[in-house]
């Protein structure tokens, strides 16, 4: 196999502070361009259906997707069902989780008549892109991918599956099949996006073009949020589907109240916003701020010497109030599974049309049209 230029460095660089600052600057420019010409942008984003979506997803990514969708960005939302099996033995109650995710997306405001909500497993041409794409990466560079490394650490002693090792390539297929040019991500995802850009570039170098004027695949860009949001779970570690420390979007107001009562805080009655020194308290302050659209400092000042009890009551009310319309809408949708399946079928049809078109271009570029 021909040696590719070494991207280990490029991927590691994508992780560096300098590169982060550059991506942040570029994200600000992109935001301006999106506001001016939203029709020039297509966004690809999504979630693995490894559990039910929770308030971490809501404030960390879903609200941002809805904002971009409302600006007029062409929106592709992937429910990454094939990615569930990268690091576990079975699929779990996957069909139910997929339908719940559709309900959450639609309830959050992604109009299925405009947004394309789809699953990996229903779009064969997307997955077929894995074959040419895998020819464009080396095993060594996949092993060096910082995100693969940290995912591997998170799975403990479990041996790495071939699917986990190659999942950055699958993610490249997710982004490139629909020629998305903007991908809203957290900074931990930047190496993946760099891998996608490398795949697109190498495809162009090695297999050529259909239209001599432009490569088959555009260079997708990361869109970092101005202020990254990480919601902690009730145990004080990052809220995560697989950790059982979540407040699901579908939970009712009483369950939410009960869970918040159990959230870890500290013994200082004076409430301040200081995420490093007081993660538990600050997480609750932050949640209240996100739910009410105020600043965390403002919320902390209002509670002042009220202590953790007042803070928890405040967060509970703010969160339940903020989520009420979402929960009502999601309950209505969940009562009509036929509708949710129709939404998914329609999204899958749209995704298939796009994927078939892209695969046809790929086969043309590769001279594999017989
Ligand atoms: P898993 O336990 O399977 O890793 P998870 O709950 O951590 O699930 P992911 O599918 O890893 O969820 O996360 C998808 C995206 O949702 C992340 O890239 C991030 O943007 C957002 N997200 C998830 N959890 C949080 C959180 N606690 N705070 C903020 N954003 C979050
Ligand atoms: Mg996670």
């Amino acid at each position: 196999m021909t040696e590719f230029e070494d991207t280990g460095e490029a991927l590691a660089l994508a992780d560096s502070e300098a590169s982060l600052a550059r991506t942040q600057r570029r994200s600000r420019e992109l935001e301006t361009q999106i506001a001016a010409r939203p029709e020039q942008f297509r966004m690809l984003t999504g979630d693995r259906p490894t559990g039910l979506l929770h308030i971490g997803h809501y404030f960390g990514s879903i609200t941002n997707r809805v904002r971009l969708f409302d600006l007029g960005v062409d929106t592709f939302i992937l429910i990454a069902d094939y990615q569930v099996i990268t690091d576990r033995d079975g699929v779990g109650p996957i069909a139910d989780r997929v339908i719940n995710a559709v309900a959450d997306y639609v309830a959050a405001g992604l109009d299925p008549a405009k947004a394309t909500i789809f699953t990996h497993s229903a779009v064969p041409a997307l997955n077929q892109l894995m074959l040419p794409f895998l020819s464009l990466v080396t095993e060594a560079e996949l092993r060096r991918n910082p995100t693969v490394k940290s995912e591997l650490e998170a799975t403990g002693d479990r041996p790495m599956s071939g699917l986990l090792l190659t999942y950055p390539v699958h993610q490249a297929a997710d982004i490139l099949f629909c020629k998305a040019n903007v991908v809203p991500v957290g900074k931990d995802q930047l190496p993946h996006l760099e891998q996608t850009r490398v795949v697109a570039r190498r495809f162009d170098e090695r297999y050529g073009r259909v239209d001599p004027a432009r490569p088959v695949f555009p260079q997708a860009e990361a869109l970092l949020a101005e202020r990254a949001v990480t919601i902690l779970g009730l145990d004080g570690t990052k809220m995560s589907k697989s950790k059982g420390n979540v407040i699901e979007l579908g939970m009712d107001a009483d369950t939410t109240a009960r869970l918040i009562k159990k959230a870890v805080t500290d013994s200082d009655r004076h409430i301040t916003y200081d995420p490093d020194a007081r993660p538990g308290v600050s997480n609750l302050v932050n949640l209240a701020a996100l739910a009410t659209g105020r600043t965390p400092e403002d919320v902390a000042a209002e509670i002042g010497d009220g202590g953790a009890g007042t803070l928890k009551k405040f967060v509970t009310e703010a969160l339940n109030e903020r989520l009420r319309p979402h929960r009502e809408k999601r309950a209505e949708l969940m009562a009509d599974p036929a509708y949710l399946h129709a939404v998914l079928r329609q999204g899958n049809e749209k995704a298939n049309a796009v994927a078939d078109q892209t695969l046809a271009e790929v086969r043309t570029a590769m001279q594999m049209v017989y």
Side-chain angles (χ1 to χ4, degrees):
M1 185 175 195
T2 327
E3 278 293 308
F4 294 113
E5 95 269 21
D6 184 10
T7 57
E9 223 172 305
L11 294 188
L13 268 177
D15 235 10
S16 73
E17 286 300 313
S19 152
L20 182 61
R22 204 173 332 111
T23 311
Q24 277 161 341
R25 264 197 313 279
R26 179 64 192 138
S27 294
R28 267 173 240 133
E29 278 171 24
L30 276 170
E31 286 285 0
T32 311
Q33 291 170 7
I34 289 169
R37 311 285 299 273
E39 71 287 352
Q40 295 185 340
F41 291 89
R42 176 173 282 177
M43 131 173 100
L44 181 283
T45 166
D47 299 288
R48 295 201 304 163
T50 49
L52 299 176
L53 294 173
H54 51 71
I55 59 170
H57 297 113
Y58 189 78
F59 292 114
S61 65
I62 293 176
T63 50
N64 191 39
R65 297 172 188 173
V66 174
R67 180 184 68 84
L68 293 163
F69 173 79
D70 285 342
L71 284 173
V73 173
D74 189 10
T75 300
F76 276 62
I77 306 276
L78 167 62
I79 304 176
D81 53 359
Y82 272 149
Q83 286 300 326
V84 168
I85 49 177
T86 50
D87 61 356
R88 56 202 74 202
D89 293 331
V91 294
I94 196 163
D96 184 54
R97 288 170 175 170
V98 167
I99 284 304
N100 269 278
V102 176
D104 277 321
Y105 298 145
V106 176
L110 297 169
D111 174 2
K114 291 202 206 112
T116 306
I117 302 172
F118 67 105
T119 52
H120 268 143
S121 62
V123 188
L126 180 163
N127 297 296
Q128 190 173 327
L129 293 177
M130 274 294 269
L131 288 169
F133 287 1
L134 281 169
S135 76
L136 299 170
V137 298
T138 65
E139 179 242 356
E141 77 192 348
L142 288 171
R143 283 191 192 282
R144 279 198 301 265
N145 181 307
T147 318
V148 170
K149 276 198 207 160
S150 62
E151 298 273 334
L152 186 59
E153 277 156 24
T155 56
D157 290 337
R158 194 188 163 86
M160 174 155 57
S161 73
L163 196 60
L164 180 57
L165 179 65
T166 55
Y167 102 95
V169 185
H170 201 196
Q171 218 173 57
D174 299 340
I175 295 168
L176 296 178
F177 98 92
C178 65
K179 303 189 181 182
N181 51 4
V182 63
V183 186
V185 289
K187 63 178 182 187
D188 56 324
Q189 293 285 312
L190 292 176
H192 277 324
L193 211 65
E194 191 49 36
Q195 184 72 71
T196 298
R197 295 158 62 85
V198 165
V199 166
R201 218 155 40 225
R202 286 182 186 160
F203 186 91
D204 193 47
E205 284 158 12
R206 182 176 282 195
Y207 299 123
R209 303 180 173 189
V210 178
D211 173 355
R214 60 183 175 88
V216 173
F217 297 110
Q219 289 280 293
E221 296 197 85
L223 188 66
L224 285 169
E226 192 55 44
R227 188 174 151 260
V229 173
T230 299
I231 304 299
L232 304 183
L234 308 160
D235 57 355
T237 71
K238 188 181 164 202
M239 186 174 285
S240 213
K241 289 182 222 110
S242 28
K243 282 197 257 169
N245 63 354
V246 308
I247 297 177
E248 289 161 8
L249 284 169
M251 284 173 172
D252 62 25
D254 289 345
T255 311
T256 304
R258 194 156 38 76
L259 290 172
I260 291 175
K261 254 192 205 128
K262 284 197 284 190
V264 288
T265 51
D266 55 42
S267 53
D268 185 348
R269 281 195 65 77
H270 184 66
I271 298 304
T272 52
Y273 181 63
D274 183 354
D276 291 330
R278 306 182 71 187
V281 164
S282 301
N283 182 52
L284 292 177
V285 170
N286 192 32
L287 271 176
L290 288 164
T292 54
R294 294 166 60 178
T295 66
E297 290 77 10
D298 188 28
V299 170
E302 179 175 327
I303 294 168
D305 288 324
T310 310
L311 174 61
K312 286 183 174 180
K313 197 158 163 287
F314 189 102
V315 184
T316 302
E317 275 167 23
L319 201 55
N320 280 337
E321 187 56 25
R322 169 69 190 260
L323 293 179
R324 192 159 42 81
H326 181 95
R327 285 169 165 167
E328 282 171 8
K329 179 82 187 153
R330 124 184 259 299
E332 241 173 68
L333 291 162
M334 285 304 289
D336 189 359
Y339 171 75
L340 293 171
H341 280 105
V343 165
L344 198 51
R345 247 192 331 271
Q346 180 192 323
N348 283 334
E349 260 167 43
K350 278 205 284 186
N352 268 304
V354 171
D356 288 346
Q357 164 72 32
T358 301
L359 183 61
E361 282 175 52
V362 162
R363 293 178 64 200
T364 303
M366 296 179 79
Q367 305 173 63
M368 291 178 174
V369 182
Y370 316 109

